[in-house]
Amino acid sequence: TCEERANNITALSLAQSTGIQASQSSRRPTPARTDFDESTMSVSVSLSGFDATKKKSADPAPPITSLDNAEAITLVQQFLNDLGFQKTLKCLEEESHHPFKPHAFERSGELLRMLNEYRSMRRAMHDLENGTDVTNAVDDLSAMLISTETPETKDLSLEPLKVLSELHSSNVLAVAFSPHTEQSQWVVSASSDHSICISNYETGKVIRRLDGHSAGVLSVAWHPIHKNILLSTSMDRTHILWNLEPGLLESEIMQQFTDHDKYVVSATWSPSGEYFCTASYDKKVNIYRLVASDSGEIKYEKHGSVTFLQAVEAVCFDKSGRYVYCAPREDYQLHLIHVESVERSTMNMNSTGDKHISFTVLDMKVSPDGKFILVQTDRDRLIIFHLDTQSEVCSFYGARNDMYSRPRIIWHPSGKYVFGTSQNNSIYMWKVSSQRIVAQLTGHTKLPRGLAYHPSRELLATGSFDQTVRLWGPTSEQQ
């Protein structure tokens, strides 16, 4: 059934994303994957006599003469380069006598972009043939994202600054910077070793280690107002509010919630801190609200709950704090919950407005100005939607993430760049106005899983299955 299929995908994706072995009872034969592996690539590409699976013929192919063929080969070359298939790219250059031009197109992922547009057109034509009224919901909003930089302004460039390798004994699953000025040098990391570590990233010194979960910690989030409160979620089906008061010898658990029946994969605070929400693989999103206490202590109570058809991967508040966006698996819609009334509405992510499930949203973040939402799909694609018009603005390609991954995405505080993790152990940075990859950060030896940008400094933090937290900053010429 669809539910059984979704449950198996959920189990496999979490096992892969946390590095924890899935039980044999939950396994099924792995379905056909769309990943490309250059060392075992068996898919042939035939363009003007070129076949990537065959050895080079003794008689070289004639030079490309058709402009259409040349552009098609350039598209394939960009696709191969984006995925890092340098050997196959070199073979194509030799067979076609068509040298690769990295900047032939303004944007990355042009071939995949065209494929998605073709699929949308096919669905729209099908609806029209069947008498369905289709309205094109895609407005031209690109101008709203184009920065006012001059042509001479250089793109942000990051380089490795520091590696924190002694914080955890297992996979690092989440990282976050403190948003508070007094703690501007603090970074928190969470791991499948059950621990949470608060460190000074400049000195590398561990400030606090929090041990309260009985399984891997999947997410951490600082309270936006109270600097001594931290929220964590875990595979042990609980989420904890921690008290980080400096006077305490050990950080104490303020509240531990047991309202979910499966892994609690994500949590988010409202901007005011009045609410927080949790997402779980039990298909529920729970809303918690700050309540008055006679003793003056900070206390939260469960305010409401919404159940979806499939496991929920991500939640995030809008800038007003009145709505929380929810992303269940295998759904063509984002769901909006009004936190006070707990009433639900939806946002169709298909540009044609149809009900086709094109992808699953695995992570999402609202832009710094609150006007857009960035989503990471399981189809190697990031998409920006305009929240007022609920229309698709642009897409980003290059990173590799399938249905079994749990990638992470973030905005740069300026809104000019977006970052995303990839299954090839890299972190990609795209410029929003051009949709071009401007950096591919390499250094992690295993899958990156945590991603955070400092709210007031040019500093990126990443956490990985290689058990390290890495810090990235501007190159020396930009400092």
Side-chain angles (χ1 to χ4, degrees):
T1 66
C2 291
E3 183 173 355
E4 289 173 337
R5 176 173 174 267
N7 287 337
N8 279 291
I9 290 175
T10 296
L12 285 169
S13 67
L14 196 67
Q16 183 184 28
S17 65
T18 59
I20 296 176
Q21 188 73 22
S23 65
Q24 293 295 326
S25 61
S26 67
R27 288 188 175 183
R28 288 188 177 182
T30 303
R33 302 278 292 274
T34 57
D35 295 341
F36 293 91
D37 185 341
E38 189 173 3
S39 63
T40 59
M41 189 172 182
S42 59
V43 178
S44 62
V45 182
S46 296
L47 284 172
S48 300
F50 170 70
D51 189 338
T53 63
K54 296 180 181 179
K55 293 183 179 180
K56 184 175 179 180
S57 172
D59 298 323
I64 299 298
T65 56
S66 166
L67 291 177
D68 288 341
N69 283 351
E71 186 172 7
I73 287 187
T74 303
L75 284 168
V76 175
Q77 288 175 329
Q78 184 196 52
F79 172 76
L80 295 173
N81 185 66
D82 285 348
L83 294 182
F85 297 159
Q86 297 303 317
K87 294 179 182 178
T88 309
L89 174 59
K90 184 67 175 178
C91 180
L92 177 54
E93 287 184 298
E94 293 177 357
E95 290 282 341
S96 65
H97 301 283
H98 187 72
F100 174 50
K101 300 176 181 178
H103 302 294
F105 299 104
E106 293 183 357
R107 303 177 295 186
S108 303
E110 283 292 345
L111 185 61
L112 293 176
R113 200 182 310 275
M114 292 170 63
L115 177 61
N116 280 308
E117 290 174 355
Y118 172 73
R119 287 173 174 167
S120 296
M121 181 191 69
R122 286 286 300 271
R123 292 198 303 272
M125 291 302 297
H126 178 270
D127 289 340
L128 285 171
E129 290 170 0
N130 287 276
T132 305
D133 182 20
V134 179
T135 301
N136 184 2
V138 181
D139 296 326
D140 185 12
L141 299 174
S142 298
M144 298 181 66
L145 293 173
I146 297 176
S147 85
T148 57
E149 296 173 342
T150 65
E152 292 76 21
T153 303
K154 292 184 178 181
D155 289 331
L156 175 66
S157 180
L158 301 179
E159 65 180 5
L161 297 182
K162 185 174 293 187
V163 180
L164 305 178
S165 58
E166 304 296 330
L167 303 179
H168 297 283
S169 60
S170 188
N171 305 336
V172 178
L173 304 179
V175 293
F177 287 107
S178 172
H180 306 291
T181 304
E182 303 91 331
Q183 303 166 341
S184 62
Q185 298 175 350
W186 289 16
V187 62
V188 60
S189 54
S191 171
S192 56
D193 66 7
H194 309 180
S195 73
I196 301 168
C197 193
I198 301 173
S199 311
N200 183 315
Y201 61 77
E202 290 190 346
T203 65
K205 180 181 177 181
V206 175
I207 300 171
R208 292 242 178 126
R209 188 175 297 275
L210 312 180
D211 296 299
H213 286 293
S214 60
V217 184
L218 298 175
S219 73
V220 285
W222 293 93
H223 195 287
I225 305 300
H226 298 286
K227 64 181 181 180
N228 294 319
I229 296 179
L230 182 73
L231 172 63
S232 62
T233 71
S234 171
M235 295 175 68
D236 65 9
R237 300 177 294 178
T238 74
H239 45 290
I240 294 177
L241 285 177
W242 300 88
N243 185 353
L244 308 179
E245 281 288 345
L248 298 176
L249 294 178
E250 294 184 0
S251 299
E252 68 177 25
I253 295 176
M254 294 173 55
Q255 292 178 262
Q256 185 165 14
F257 302 87
T258 59
D259 302 311
H260 286 293
D261 298 323
K262 292 187 178 181
Y263 304 148
V264 189
V265 296
S266 180
T268 182
W269 291 98
S270 66
S272 67
E274 182 180 0
Y275 295 93
F276 72 84
C277 292
T278 56
S280 171
Y281 279 176
D282 64 6
K283 307 177 184 179
K284 294 180 181 178
V285 168
N286 289 343
I287 303 171
Y288 299 83
R289 187 173 188 173
L290 180 66
V291 294
S293 172
D294 295 337
S295 61
E297 295 179 346
I298 295 175
K299 183 179 180 181
Y300 285 83
E301 289 184 354
K302 185 177 175 182
H303 174 67
S305 183
V306 175
T307 302
F308 296 91
L309 296 178
Q310 302 295 345
V312 184
E313 286 287 356
V315 287
C316 67
F317 274 93
D318 73 342
K319 195 170 184 178
S320 72
R322 294 181 298 172
Y323 292 90
V324 62
Y325 287 85
C326 309
R329 276 187 171 268
E330 298 192 14
D331 201 325
Y332 64 94
Q333 303 172 117
L334 289 181
H335 296 257
L336 291 77
I337 302 174
H338 187 274
V339 291
E340 187 171 348
S341 66
V342 200
E343 293 180 352
R344 183 168 62 178
S345 57
T346 58
M347 167 183 156
N348 193 324
M349 292 182 288
N350 289 329
S351 59
T352 58
D354 65 329
K355 297 182 179 181
H356 177 75
I357 299 175
S358 305
F359 49 77
T360 285
V361 173
L362 301 177
D363 195 19
M364 58 184 175
K365 295 289 188 300
V366 171
S367 63
D369 64 5
K371 296 179 180 179
F372 303 92
I373 192 167
L374 173 70
V375 304
Q376 167 70 65
T377 76
D378 60 347
R379 300 295 179 87
D380 301 333
R381 180 187 181 197
L382 287 74
I383 310 171
I384 288 180
F385 294 94
H386 189 264
L387 293 180
D388 285 345
T389 62
Q390 298 190 357
S391 58
E392 180 182 322
V393 178
C394 59
S395 298
F396 306 90
Y397 297 89
R400 301 173 62 187
N401 292 292
D402 62 19
M403 69 177 71
Y404 300 94
S405 66
R406 293 203 70 240
R408 288 292 174 260
I409 53 174
I410 54 171
W411 291 82
H412 186 272
S414 68
K416 296 177 181 179
Y417 304 95
V418 294
F419 299 81
T421 60
S422 175
Q423 285 176 299
N424 64 359
N425 302 342
S426 300
I427 297 92
Y428 287 84
M429 178 172 72
W430 293 266
K431 190 172 184 177
V432 174
S433 60
S434 65
Q435 300 159 52
R436 179 187 291 277
I437 295 172
V438 293
Q440 180 182 355
L441 306 180
T442 59
H444 283 297
T445 57
K446 293 184 179 180
L447 182 72
R449 177 67 165 71
L451 193 61
Y453 211 94
H454 200 286
S456 60
R457 300 183 181 183
E458 291 292 2
L459 192 64
L460 175 72
T462 58
S464 167
F465 281 18
D466 63 14
Q467 304 179 18
T468 69
V469 172
R470 289 178 179 262
L471 300 169
W472 315 77
T475 57
S476 56
E477 64 181 22
Q478 288 189 328
Q479 292 178 347

